[in-house]
Amino acid sequence: MDPAVRLASTVADPLVSRLLLPTEAATDDGAHPGEPELLARIVSFRGADPPLGYEDLLALAEEFVARTAARHHLPTRDEAPVATVLSRTLWTIGELPTTDAQAVRLGPQDYARTLRSAVPGADRELSPEAAWFHDRLLVTVCLHLLHQLIRRSPRLSERLPERAHRIRQLVDLNDVDAVRSRPEPSAHDAAFEARYAHSVVELYNHVTIHGIDLPNPNTPDSWSLDATYLSLSAEFGAPGGAPPAGPDDGDSGEPVLSVDRALGGHERVLLRGVAGSGKTTLVQWLAVTAARDAFPAELATLRGRIPLVLPVRRFAREGFPGPDDFLHAVRHPLADEAPDGWVARVLTEERGLLLVDGIDEAPEAGRAALRDALRRLMRIYSGNFCLVTSRHSAVEPDWLADEGFDELALAPMNRDQVAAFITAWHTAAADDEGKDHAHLTTYRDRLLATIPLYRELRGLATNPLMCGLICALNRDRSGSLPQGRKELYEAAMQMLLQRRDPERRVLYADAVRLQRSARERLLRKLAYRMLTEHRSELTTPEALDEIGRHLPAIPAAAGQGGARGIFNHLLLRTGVLREQSARAVEFVHRTVQDYLAAKEAVEQGAFDLLLAHAHESEWEEVIRMAVAHARPAECARLLGGLLAPGHTGMQRNRRRLLAAACLEHVTELDPDTHARIRRETRHMVRPTTVAAARSLGWVGPIVLEMLPDPAHVPDDEAYRLAVTVTRISDDAAIHYLAQLRNRASLKLRAELAHGWRNFDTDRYAEEIISHLDPEGLYFPVSDRYELAALRKLGGRARVQIVGRFSPDELLEGLCLDQLTHLWLAYDLGASMDWLAAFPHLTTLRVNPRLPRVHGVPHGIRILS
């Protein structure tokens, strides 16, 4: 994270240098050249006769505050208290057993967090704004301190080249920012910005809930984002995919946070998520909220910014546009009216909110060029917030880490979120023109009761897209739901392309009369062309040309009129196409495009084409659906081709794992091919890194049949196996994990505990949670079901709150006499005085990304 309180090195260096002994004095103590040095030995305020006393350190802290307070509007009354806390925090540099190499490896943010954790509760008396300022100023001081260490010890650059480079880069960025002025926008710019903000709200303040946007012309095709936005959950990733260690007690793994809250305090974020997980909806919410300048307190750093939404599919072929071309590249309706150079001025003034949506929408070969262009942009315009979204496997880990991007991954929806989505869906449906409004409450309640009972539905209802499909089909079928992924899409196509118009008596909306087969064939042609051309949209002339070429071969459509009439019919009557502007058309979601393109590829026998691209991430869903559509011989050909020689390294591994993942979609396959896939992938299911273990989970339940016996692996491998299996939503996964539950390893027990949210709560509690040794282990609670289940088990001494609860709900759900350690991953938005109800509570651990807590009863230690 870039420090939010900035100080130019010309100002910071003379101040920070006073914290350290001169180089010659620091090396007189017998330390060996080239060896790591304890910071306690080289700071100037420790030892028998230190050059700097505590009063001097306090004066130095006061100068740090004075140099930065005015720019960041810190009230004068808060300057002295902040300086006092800062001096106490810096004093711990001389008390901790940290070496210069360890500090550089941590980086400024984590080193600052280490110092702050050494003086728990020191900022208890600060206001929330003053505490925020202190934390950010501490990061800045740590940044310049680490820079001094690197400059005085070349061995650090040799041993930690990437960290040293990043620290130098952050210092450069701070220098640019510290001298850059922020003039108010001109009257001309300000007038345009008001109109632009209004247009952003008009463009993005709506959500199309898949399955409701159906063909009745009197039915709204979207609903207010304000009414339907669901804040999903996310978790931070560490370099290489390893979970970061907690600051105390040895617990591992960062908590799951609401994604909008997790963005607080970060300027650059790469957000990963599966198709349909809500990435684009989050982008829309950020854009609309920025346009209204209405961010909540935890995202206060984003207030006053101008949203610039950049869907990659709009410029994937042309390349990343320059600032002056942003609006034209995304076809914004005000592009021609923007003042010359306006976007560049916004970025220069550091008022930009860059939202780059869908890196996976660009062909794999072009993603490196997009990254280079984004790097250049962020180096030139360093103070702007930037969010980049992507599917998980589209880019490698740490894809933008050298530019200071933190990585977030959207987590599957928990049951509270699923219930909230289903409720919001049915509330929105009550405003349409359907004739079944009297039954919507029954449909909702039946669905809420059904999903927890069926494993297939639980596995599918993990993201907004699939939840929307399930809701629509449940309503359409009056409670009769398909179970598998292919069956779900088949039922959706039947509903959208065949039954909806007749059942709603929409019979004469236009002159075209097409049944499902003809509609689907034409839609498949459009999807297949997008697939082969690595695109997510077609221009209107291209779509008309594609339809016109295929009309003569489809008799049911050929006599219905020209390409324009058929195109308009597909656009208005099917519910699966949408027009982005007068010049372009796309499918309502990429997964719908993939499903139809896969069906067309199988119909055309284009198996060589599928196999040629099988190692490319954007083709994964197409390959899976092609296997589901294929006949037995075709299926064997596809899967055999995935195992064929000719690829090496990551491409070879990806193709083999894809073959294993496809087995769950197979309807019939000869035993020899099945056995070959098992044989050739068996050696790949013993991952040697946590990142590999996580990625293995996407393969699905088939992996469980190939994993080694957990009773005969060491703890480190057992931990990686748990990382894989906790990501496989299948009842058999619980049986496998049960064989790891008695291990002593805290890291392994923590992973088993965090896996709770992915399975049936009661069964997982009975077979896993109840058997875990509680020593040193925080038990995570993400929803009311888990809170109730943990209470039935008698409670636990250490509990981690990773879901949204009120204090009253926690007081009722937690066992008062059991709790000794509480970890809050969410800001409860209230004073912490309610903690006095827990007589044995000694420690409150607070996620450092949250606002500072207040009202904590005395005697309770605060850690962050």
Side-chain angles (χ1 to χ4, degrees), residues 341-400:
W342 171 69
V343 173
R345 287 194 294 278
V346 167
L347 296 178
T348 300
E349 295 160 9
E350 298 184 1
R351 296 189 295 126
L353 183 74
L354 284 169
L355 303 169
V356 184
D357 187 29
I359 288 293
D360 52 277
E361 301 281 6
E364 190 165 17
R367 290 174 197 160
L370 284 177
R371 176 174 57 183
D372 291 342
L374 187 59
R375 281 173 170 167
R376 289 193 297 273
L377 183 75
M378 297 310 296
R379 289 173 182 175
I380 296 170
Y381 304 106
S382 60
N384 297 280
F385 177 88
C386 184
L387 174 73
V388 179
T389 73
S390 174
R391 290 192 189 184
H392 280 286
S393 57
V395 294
E396 62 270 17
D398 302 329
W399 195 64
L400 286 168

Side-chain angles (χ1 to χ4, degrees), residues 68 160 174 196 402 489 509 535 552 565 615 630 653 693 700 704 713 744 756 758 789 803:
T68 52
L160 302 166
N174 272 263
Y196 176 78
D402 60 349
Y489 278 109
R535 299 167 64 182
H615 54 278
N653 291 342
L704 296 171
V713 297
W756 194 358
N758 298 329

Side-chain angles (χ1 to χ4, degrees), residues 380-456:
I380 296 170
Y381 304 106
S382 60
N384 297 280
F385 177 88
C386 184
L387 174 73
V388 179
T389 73
S390 174
R391 290 192 189 184
H392 280 286
S393 57
V395 294
E396 62 270 17
D398 302 329
W399 195 64
L400 286 168
D402 60 349
E403 291 304 316
F405 278 76
D406 296 295
E407 290 206 6
L408 273 174
L410 284 173
M413 293 166 66
N414 62 38
R415 281 189 294 184
D416 282 349
Q417 291 167 328
V418 170
F421 182 96
I422 291 172
T423 301
W425 192 100
H426 287 83
T427 299
D431 292 331
D432 69 17
E433 296 295 324
K435 305 301 182 184
D436 58 351
H437 290 173
H439 302 290
L440 286 176
T441 300
T442 301
Y443 296 155
R444 180 199 65 198
D445 293 344
R446 185 180 300 169
L447 187 56
L448 288 172
T450 299
I451 285 181
L453 299 178
Y454 296 99
R455 179 182 60 81
E456 284 287 349

Side-chain angles (χ1 to χ4, degrees), residues 228-284:
T228 56
Y229 175 68
L230 173 68
S231 179
L232 298 175
S233 301
E235 48 195 337
F236 282 89
D248 74 318
D249 301 312
D251 196 5
S252 64
E254 290 230 357
V256 177
L257 299 169
S258 66
V259 64
D260 44 337
R261 188 178 297 272
L263 293 174
H266 296 265
E267 283 191 357
R268 302 179 182 186
V269 174
L270 173 61
L271 177 70
R272 299 177 188 263
V274 300
S277 58
K279 301 184 295 295
T280 297
T281 303
L282 173 65
V283 165
Q284 291 180 224

Side-chain angles (χ1 to χ4, degrees), residues 762-795:
D762 291 334
R763 183 179 173 193
Y764 200 86
E766 179 183 351
E767 298 196 26
I768 306 295
I769 298 296
S770 65
H771 295 270
L772 296 177
D773 181 357
E775 180 64 30
L777 176 64
Y778 281 93
F779 289 81
V781 173
S782 64
D783 58 38
R784 63 183 185 276
Y785 301 98
E786 293 174 0
L787 185 63
L790 197 63
R791 185 176 181 86
K792 285 174 60 178
L793 294 177

Side-chain angles (χ1 to χ4, degrees), residues 82-258:
V82 168
T84 300
V85 176
L86 180 62
S87 64
R88 292 176 60 189
T89 308
L90 294 176
W91 186 262
T92 63
I93 299 173
E95 298 178 338
L96 297 176
T98 307
T99 67
D100 54 0
Q102 289 171 332
V104 170
R105 185 177 290 109
L106 284 171
Q109 183 183 12
D110 285 340
Y111 184 51
R113 186 184 303 171
T114 299
L115 298 180
R116 197 178 66 200
S117 298
V119 283
D123 58 355
R124 187 193 301 264
E125 303 304 323
L126 295 181
S127 68
E129 294 79 10
W132 178 92
F133 180 86
H134 166 268
D135 291 350
R136 270 45 181 197
L137 178 57
L138 178 61
V139 173
T140 297
V141 174
C142 288
L143 168 66
H144 290 286
L145 174 63
L146 299 183
H147 191 222
Q148 290 264 4
L149 295 176
I150 292 167
R151 291 167 61 186
R152 66 187 274 154
S153 182
R155 62 180 170 76
L156 290 175
S157 294
E158 296 170 2
R159 294 180 59 180
L160 302 166
E162 293 182 2
R163 284 293 188 183
H165 170 75
R166 178 57 184 156
I167 288 169
R168 293 190 192 99
Q169 186 182 61
L170 284 173
V171 170
D172 290 342
L173 292 173
N174 272 263
D175 286 348
V176 170
D177 176 73
V179 299
R180 185 180 281 169
S181 61
R182 294 190 179 191
E184 291 295 319
S186 68
H188 187 41
D189 282 2
F192 175 76
E193 286 174 13
R195 292 169 53 225
Y196 176 78
H198 181 73
S199 73
V200 168
V201 174
E202 283 191 339
L203 285 171
Y204 299 112
N205 189 31
H206 59 82
V207 174
T208 299
I209 306 180
H210 193 93
I212 297 184
D213 53 323
L214 297 173
N216 189 322
N218 297 316
T219 301
D221 62 358
S222 62
W223 282 261
S224 164
L225 185 71
D226 299 326
T228 56
Y229 175 68
L230 173 68
S231 179
L232 298 175
S233 301
E235 48 195 337
F236 282 89
D248 74 318
D249 301 312
D251 196 5
S252 64
E254 290 230 357
V256 177
L257 299 169
S258 66

Side-chain angles (χ1 to χ4, degrees), residues 7 59 131 146 174 183 337 373 438 440 490 576 671 685 729 756:
L7 195 61
L146 299 183
N174 272 263
E337 302 175 34
L440 286 176
E490 287 284 3
V576 298
V685 294
S729 297
W756 194 358

